[in-house]
Amino acid sequence: MNNRIVLERVSAGYGAVTVLHDVSLEVREGELVALLGMNGNGKSTLLNCILGFVRPTSGRILMEWGGRVTDLTAMRPHDIVNLGIGAVPEGRRLVPTLSVEDNLSLAGGVRRGRGSPAETLAFCYETFPILRERRRQAAGTLSGGQQQMLAIARALMTAPRFMVVDEPSVGLAPIVVDQVIDAVKQLQTARGMTILMAEQSFFQAVEVAARAYVLSHGRIIRTVEQGRELADGEEIRRTMMGMA
Amino acid sequence: MMLIDLAANALASGAALGSIYALLAMGLAITFGLLHVPNVAHPAIVVAGAYAVALANGYGADPLLAALLLTVPFYVLGLGFYTFYSRAFELRGRGNSLQSLTLFFGVALVIEIGLVIAFGTDLRSVSVPYVGQSLSVGFVTLPYRFLVPALVTPAVILALWLYLTRTHGGLALRAVAHDERALSISGIDPSSVKRHAFGLATALAVLAGAALIITGPVDPFTDRSLLGRVFAVVVLAGLGSIPGTLVAAVLIGVAEAFVTTFVSPSWAPGVAFAILLGTLGLRPSGLFGASR
């Protein structure tokens, strides 16, 4: 079983502007992989390609799972989600006027044949007790950290095999960042979830990720395997910042 | 005594009238209020519904029962209509208001002309036993032709409210108004939700058509006098608020009835807009709209 998500030489952009150039990467089952890069280097575009919100101009995105290969490149976003790719998107994309529980049941309402929604809901509340406490509250009234937790829980409700997490720490207080990153890490260690997480904060990400890709000006300029990162950390961080 | 008498009657008939306005506006509260599709053809669809009901009534069917059965073909019609609209405009990124507005004006004209060709320009009405009779309580007299359709609205609103708050489809409909991408991420196809919503609004139009034609005779151009009022109700309620639609419509209905009784009937059509302008000056998001 070589379950994995693969990007093969993916290029993408908006109109005449190319944002991603020939990006190839893979995330294997059970891995937590970080996608590092400063703002505007193509992290969100790459994740949006996987989710079907941005169409690659060339290249392929494949899901190889359970002996089946599915080409995601031309699929619509909701079909991709229902195939087992959970999304924690940029800006969280919650429905602010719906309650916490309504946001969750919206995502759990489609039959996907991978576990029962009620069980997943119980698991979400177990993972994030604050969400159970606030389940009748409108999502828009939650704090930033709680909203991020809700966005993660909503992705879990779609019964994913693989999760795409876009900058979970953005706009959060440092102590909350730790909580959220820990929660993502927990999903991998305790649930065996496969995760691709975009992050700007280098040290946060390499602490939890098995591998990391560094994206700069739409190209992968470096792949970091765990164990080497501490020695190279400062240098990689400088590369990312464009200082090296 | 005479004054109280007049005021009580104005209040009763105004409330009934308002309740009927709410039913007329309900479909628009979904298409314009929730989906932001400027469906100016809605009143024309209501009038087409009224004709369909009149046709069924010609074979002896009760107008309300006929309307209930007609909701099914009208729902399907709405699905088709939206599919055409989204293929022609939204999916090509041309969903701007002005072009959609032109399309829907065109559709309204086509419906009007279609009705003229099929049925002529004569007034049409339905015959039901209660038309011509009135309910008298104390010194208030209310004709059944207002009272019966007015009572349909609360039932429809209750059903709609239960649907929107208690079902998965209803949740999706409330979500699509805010963020289509939030639906995609939840594994739901936003365009199928919108298509369904449009079908629902069109089905509501035939119920409104039945109410309209029970209230009084209808001709192919009746939609024109309804258009302004119906938009005023939806905007006054605050975009997307379903119960707000009833409150706003009753407010306008009662105000119109009072102006008709105490000032002059010729001022009545201006009342809706006077209230609308006054309210929007104080509360730009409408009476019940969430401020954005």
Side-chain angles (χ1 to χ4, degrees):
Chain A
M1 294 284 265
N2 278 322
N3 291 342
R4 58 177 198 155
I5 303 285
V6 201
L7 272 72
E8 288 177 352
R9 299 176 63 87
V10 170
S11 297
Y14 306 92
V17 185
T18 304
V19 178
L20 292 178
H21 305 271
D22 277 344
V23 172
S24 297
L25 60 79
E26 67 164 347
V27 184
R28 295 185 285 260
E29 184 175 16
E31 269 188 325
L32 168 55
V33 173
L35 186 63
L36 298 169
M38 301 306 288
N39 260 344
N41 280 302
K43 295 193 302 298
S44 290
T45 305
L46 192 151
L47 299 190
N48 280 331
C49 281
I50 298 176
L51 293 173
F53 290 120
V54 174
R55 284 278 131 83
T57 46
S58 66
R60 290 196 306 169
I61 300 163
L62 302 175
M63 177 165 167
E64 300 174 6
W65 218 273
R68 281 234 300 270
V69 179
T70 316
D71 190 340
L72 307 179
T73 322
M75 284 174 71
R76 295 179 300 173
H78 61 274
D79 291 328
I80 292 173
V81 168
N82 289 330
L83 205 67
I85 298 190
V88 182
E90 190 181 20
R92 300 173 200 129
R93 298 286 184 158
L94 301 168
V95 185
T97 51
L98 293 189
S99 70
V100 167
E101 190 148 304
D102 282 348
N103 268 283
L104 293 175
S105 44
L106 199 57
V110 181
R111 292 219 144 272
R112 299 179 181 90
R114 293 188 296 274
S116 92
E119 266 170 39
T120 317
L121 187 67
F123 174 76
C124 288
Y125 283 156
E126 207 177 289
T127 315
F128 304 109
I130 188 75
L131 295 182
R132 187 205 303 274
E133 221 171 276
R134 307 252 154 129
R135 64 185 185 279
R136 308 227 177 279
Q137 202 171 314
T141 64
L142 297 179
S143 74
Q146 291 160 1
Q147 288 192 17
Q148 196 60 59
M149 291 171 195
L150 179 54
I152 295 169
R154 178 184 55 185
L156 289 174
M157 290 301 290
T158 63
R161 296 167 165 135
F162 169 66
M163 274 172 78
V164 167
V165 183
D166 198 352
E167 295 208 35
S169 69
V170 77
L172 301 181
I175 185 164
V176 186
V177 171
D178 286 345
Q179 278 176 26
V180 169
I181 302 270
D182 279 352
V184 173
K185 178 69 183 168
Q186 277 292 314
L187 288 177
Q188 184 229 351
T189 48
R191 271 222 137 183
M193 186 64 72
T194 311
I195 301 166
L196 176 62
M197 175 175 73
E199 247 318 316
Q200 282 195 51
S201 75
F202 172 78
F203 289 108
Q204 286 281 358
V206 290
E207 228 171 82
V208 296
R211 289 187 298 127
Y213 292 96
V214 181
L215 202 57
S216 175
H217 301 294
R219 289 173 215 276
I220 288 183
I221 54 162
R222 224 186 147 120
T223 311
V224 191
E225 301 287 337
Q226 200 172 36
R228 287 191 54 207
E229 88 282 347
L230 286 178
D232 300 345
E234 185 53 26
E235 181 221 324
I236 293 164
R237 199 178 68 84
R238 292 172 65 91
T239 320
M240 255 174 74
M241 310 270 289
M243 292 188 294
Chain B
M1 194 60 207
M2 191 59 190
L3 198 65
I4 295 172
D5 190 342
L6 280 175
N9 273 294
L11 191 65
S13 66
L17 197 64
S19 185
I20 295 162
Y21 289 164
L23 195 52
L24 294 171
M26 202 66 62
L28 197 67
I30 292 175
T31 50
F32 187 55
L34 286 176
L35 305 185
H36 309 299
V37 174
N39 183 10
V40 290
H42 184 71
I45 300 170
V46 169
V47 171
Y51 270 78
V53 167
L55 213 59
N57 183 248
Y59 293 101
D62 176 79
L64 287 176
L65 192 66
L68 213 54
L69 295 174
L70 281 165
T71 52
V72 178
F74 268 70
Y75 173 84
V76 176
L77 215 65
L79 295 186
F81 187 26
Y82 185 80
T83 307
F84 168 72
Y85 167 72
S86 77
R87 291 249 165 94
F89 288 87
E90 286 197 329
L91 292 184
R92 294 186 193 171
R94 292 186 197 149
N96 78 52
S97 311
L98 200 61
Q99 279 168 326
S100 326
L101 212 56
T102 317
L103 171 79
F104 287 110
F105 258 117
V107 169
L109 287 175
V110 168
I111 292 174
E112 285 176 358
I113 290 162
L115 289 176
V116 170
I117 291 170
F119 303 102
T121 52
D122 296 341
L123 285 167
R124 288 255 162 172
S125 56
V126 287
S127 61
V128 268
Y130 49 79
V131 166
Q133 296 175 32
S134 294
L135 176 74
S136 292
V137 179
F139 44 74
V140 176
T141 305
L142 196 61
Y144 281 115
R145 68 188 176 90
F146 283 119
L147 187 61
V148 171
L151 291 177
V152 175
T153 311
V156 168
I157 287 184
L158 183 69
L160 205 56
W161 183 78
L162 286 175
Y163 173 72
L164 286 173
T165 53
R166 304 287 154 88
T167 69
H168 187 255
L171 275 185
L173 218 166
R174 282 156 68 205
V176 80
H178 279 280
D179 192 351
E180 292 186 23
R181 207 168 265 205
L183 279 185
S184 299
I185 285 163
S186 303
I188 302 163
D189 179 4
S191 37
S192 89
V193 173
K194 294 207 276 188
R195 200 159 49 233
H196 167 65
F198 215 87
L200 209 62
T202 314
L204 286 169
V206 73
L207 289 177
L212 185 69
I213 202 162
I214 293 172
T215 310
V218 167
D219 74 26
F221 303 103
T222 304
D223 60 309
R224 296 186 179 186
S225 63
L226 299 175
L227 183 61
R229 210 175 267 135
V230 163
F231 264 89
V233 167
V234 172
V235 177
L236 180 63
L239 294 184
S241 168
I242 302 293
T245 308
L246 180 61
V247 178
V250 167
L251 198 70
I252 288 177
V254 169
E256 278 186 5
F258 270 86
V259 169
T260 305
T261 309
F262 293 106
V263 187
S264 153
S266 50
W267 281 92
V271 170
F273 285 96
I275 295 177
L276 181 64
L277 291 177
T279 309
L280 292 187
L282 297 170
R283 276 187 64 92
S285 51
L287 291 178
F288 301 93
S291 37
R292 302 190 177 203

